[in-house]
Amino acid sequence: MNPPLAGPIHPTDWVRPAGNTEFKLTQPFGCTGVPRERPLGTCAHFHRGNDYGNGRCGADVLATEAGTVRFAGEAPYTSGGVTYRPIQVIIDHGGGRGSLYTHLLNEVVSVAQVVAQGQLIGHLGSTGNSTACHLHFAIKSGVNWALPFVSDANGTWQDPWPLISGGDMLAVQTTVPLEAPNPRVFEI
């Protein structure tokens, strides 16, 4: 695993987005060998968050820290001529910090809603470019909310693991990434 691109963005613990210890870290933040990952910095392929899975679609996904919902719903994009439709939630935590939860089955919050730390925001799914039910969780610092959150030019991607590991979440690296390595959507 590679170190974050910058220092920690928050000195206190956030709650785990999965809310329990059944979720495993299945793909970590940083340089990968997955060709579909876009380059960043010196990495030819860079995973911009952590993937967590427990094998169960519909499991609760929680807000890791209090904030205001900036986006909730389907976020279509096209890659390789294929349009993907991941369901995601983006939360503004203040001070230029934000978090992204994607591949959700559904979202249960709405734009401009204030959420508490640990509040239910959606359910684990496999929407968008995904091969199995899992959560892609990403955090950024230095976010300008007038720009698209997912743009590499907007803020700095951070490794979420140090903020939410809590010492008891299982860290298991799988040999197969949960996000599809080619532009087809896989159903499970």
Side-chain angles (χ1 to χ4, degrees):
M1 184 182 306
N2 297 293
L5 296 179
I9 66 168
H10 200 272
T12 61
D13 288 335
W14 290 15
V15 298
R16 293 182 296 271
N20 64 49
T21 59
E22 295 177 19
F23 283 75
K24 295 176 175 61
L25 174 64
T26 56
Q27 186 176 359
F29 176 91
C31 296
T32 72
V34 180
R36 62 164 292 288
E37 301 281 5
R38 298 184 324 266
L40 186 64
T42 60
C43 300
H45 310 287
F46 194 90
H47 192 243
R48 288 155 175 79
N50 284 339
D51 286 348
Y52 301 99
N54 74 350
R56 293 190 335 249
C57 283
D60 291 347
V61 175
L62 311 177
T64 56
E65 186 181 50
T68 303
V69 176
R70 288 288 188 146
F71 181 85
E74 191 176 81
Y77 69 94
T78 301
S79 177
V82 176
T83 299
Y84 300 101
R85 300 184 180 284
I87 295 173
Q88 55 188 223
V89 171
I90 298 174
I91 299 176
D92 177 351
H93 301 293
R97 294 176 293 114
S99 57
L100 165 72
Y101 312 75
T102 193
H103 301 304
L104 300 174
L105 176 66
N106 64 346
E107 80 283 356
V108 298
V109 293
S110 57
V111 173
Q113 181 178 341
V114 175
V115 295
Q117 183 179 46
Q119 181 175 332
L120 178 70
I121 60 170
H123 295 96
L124 195 68
S126 185
T127 60
N129 192 1
S130 171
T131 60
C133 283
H134 76 289
L135 171 68
H136 175 83
F137 173 66
I139 56 177
K140 289 181 104 172
S141 62
V143 175
N144 175 348
W145 292 103
L147 300 173
F149 182 84
V150 297
S151 168
D152 289 338
N154 183 16
T156 303
W157 296 103
Q158 303 286 328
D159 183 354
W161 185 252
L163 297 176
I164 63 168
S165 62
D168 59 358
M169 183 179 277
L170 300 173
V172 178
Q173 175 66 42
T174 61
T175 56
V176 179
L178 290 177
E179 293 183 5
N182 61 47
R184 291 187 334 193
V185 176
F186 293 88
E187 298 293 328
I188 60 165

